[in-house]
Amino acid sequence: MSSIKNVVKVMNFHSLLRVDKARKKAEKYLSVGNEITKILTEILYNKNLVLDKQILIPDKNKPILDIYVANDYGYCGDFNSSVRRAIIENKDHYKIIIGKKILYKDDKTVLKIEKDLFNEEFLKIQHCIEKSLLDMSYSEINIYYNHYYSSTTFEFKKINVFPIEFKGEYYEGTDFIAETDLKKMLKSLISFYICYQLKMCECISEAAENLNRNQITSLALDKIEEIEEEQYNTERRKINEEACFKNVENFKKILQTAGDNNE
């Protein structure tokens, strides 16, 4: 039991370190991501572009693309189960799945890569997104992932990354001069935005994943300590019972000896 406890302690400690590392990395992405979203919104919904009919309006009759960020390591069954449920609920959507433990695959699975290979194979995802925007293949693109909120809380979440949310007003006072195909440029900007958001979600998901692992290993440590305490109490009871039995036997012998002497 002690060897198992030591292994779980090490896993618990490393998960805490990874949570902190991933959280700090995600915060850097998040701060820049908010600014990118703001700038792109002002460009995409610029009043002059709207009047010139240069904004990108997806065809609502086109299918939806969902990108799922799962986990490749152990101790994350609940973490991945949320991803599986969402995939099944949205089985008619096209999908990119990140995570080898998600075994689901159908004719609408555009791409599937291991979570460990996310950075090495990111270009494959990028090419899929770029092509889909050039062709305007989808009515919307969503990212599903587990969002880290704090050292005790994470939540399975969906964010819509295309089309970028319209807040109900067009932006005035800024004009643009474009010496290129404007729609092609906008598609390129949105592709960059989606890829950036996905990298941010992957970092936040990694923090949530390690938080989940930390919670599970903490519960495991509590259970191990509970078992150890039960074992200790059982052993103490056994020792006390044996000591009590010996005392009773010794007392019986003393009484018997005293009775023999009286005779």
Side-chain angles (χ1 to χ4, degrees):
M1 184 63 72
S2 61
S3 61
I4 295 173
K5 185 178 181 181
N6 289 335
V7 170
V8 176
K9 275 185 176 179
V10 170
M11 292 178 68
N12 183 266
F13 176 70
H14 281 295
S15 63
L16 273 178
L17 292 180
R18 293 190 186 109
V19 166
D20 190 58
K21 183 180 177 182
R23 178 184 59 79
K24 288 177 180 176
K25 187 177 177 183
E27 283 174 353
K28 292 178 183 177
Y29 273 113
L30 189 59
S31 58
V32 178
N34 291 335
E35 288 302 313
I36 291 173
T37 304
K38 181 182 175 184
I39 292 168
L40 271 181
T41 304
E42 291 183 6
I43 294 173
L44 293 172
Y45 297 110
N46 178 274
K47 191 171 183 180
N48 292 324
L49 297 185
V50 174
L51 291 173
D52 291 339
K53 297 183 179 179
Q54 292 292 334
I55 62 171
L56 300 179
I57 302 175
D59 183 350
K60 292 183 179 179
N61 295 316
K62 293 287 182 72
I64 295 171
L65 173 67
D66 294 328
I67 305 172
Y68 297 94
V69 182
N71 165 62
D72 279 355
Y73 296 111
Y75 289 95
C76 281
D78 292 341
F79 187 96
N80 283 336
S81 63
S82 300
V83 176
R84 291 189 192 95
R85 280 195 297 271
I87 290 174
I88 292 169
E89 286 172 7
N90 303 315
K91 62 182 180 180
D92 293 331
H93 298 180
Y94 285 85
K95 54 195 75 70
I96 294 173
I97 301 173
I98 301 163
K100 67 182 179 183
K101 288 201 169 185
I102 304 299
L103 302 178
Y104 186 96
K105 190 173 182 181
D106 59 15
D107 58 350
K108 293 190 176 180
T109 303
V110 177
L111 180 65
K112 191 171 183 201
I113 65 171
E114 295 183 16
K115 176 76 163 9
D116 272 354
L117 301 177
F118 177 78
N119 292 316
E120 290 87 341
E121 299 192 5
F122 189 78
L123 275 177
K124 292 181 181 179
I125 302 173
Q126 186 176 328
H127 290 156
C128 283
I129 292 169
E130 286 174 350
K131 187 176 185 310
S132 71
L133 287 168
L134 284 173
D135 300 338
M136 293 296 281
S137 306
Y138 303 109
S139 60
E140 63 180 82
I141 300 175
N142 305 301
I143 300 174
Y144 288 84
Y145 71 108
N146 283 277
H147 188 88
Y148 172 91
Y149 286 104
S150 69
S151 59
T152 57
T153 310
F154 69 91
E155 177 189 22
F156 187 63
K157 189 174 180 180
K158 164 195 170 183
I159 61 168
N160 175 247
V161 288
F162 177 73
I164 295 175
E165 182 184 3
F166 176 53
K167 307 234 172 167
E169 60 180 14
Y170 294 110
Y171 294 88
E172 300 185 62
T174 305
D175 205 355
F176 303 96
I177 296 174
E179 297 181 354
T180 184
D181 183 329
L182 193 53
K183 286 196 173 181
K184 190 174 181 181
M185 184 197 75
L186 292 177
K187 290 173 183 178
S188 179
L189 283 173
I190 294 173
S191 174
F192 165 75
Y193 166 77
I194 293 172
C195 289
Y196 192 94
Q197 290 288 90
L198 179 56
K199 286 195 172 185
M200 182 180 71
C201 290
E202 190 271 338
C203 285
I204 297 172
S205 175
E206 187 175 344
E209 164 194 329
N210 282 288
L211 173 60
N212 188 41
R213 189 174 293 110
N214 177 257
Q215 290 174 344
I216 291 171
T217 51
S218 294
L219 287 171
L221 283 173
D222 290 343
K223 189 64 179 177
I224 289 170
E225 287 172 1
E226 183 183 322
I227 292 170
E228 286 178 339
E229 187 176 352
E230 286 178 2
Q231 288 177 340
Y232 174 79
N233 290 336
T234 300
E235 289 171 2
R236 291 304 306 170
R237 279 196 300 271
K238 185 178 179 182
I239 291 169
N240 290 337
E241 286 171 0
E242 289 175 352
C244 182
F245 179 77
K246 286 180 181 178
N247 288 335
V248 170
E249 290 299 311
N250 288 337
F251 185 67
K252 285 180 179 178
K253 288 178 182 177
I254 292 169
L255 289 178
Q256 186 174 359
T257 303
D260 292 342
N261 290 336
N262 288 334
E263 291 177 0

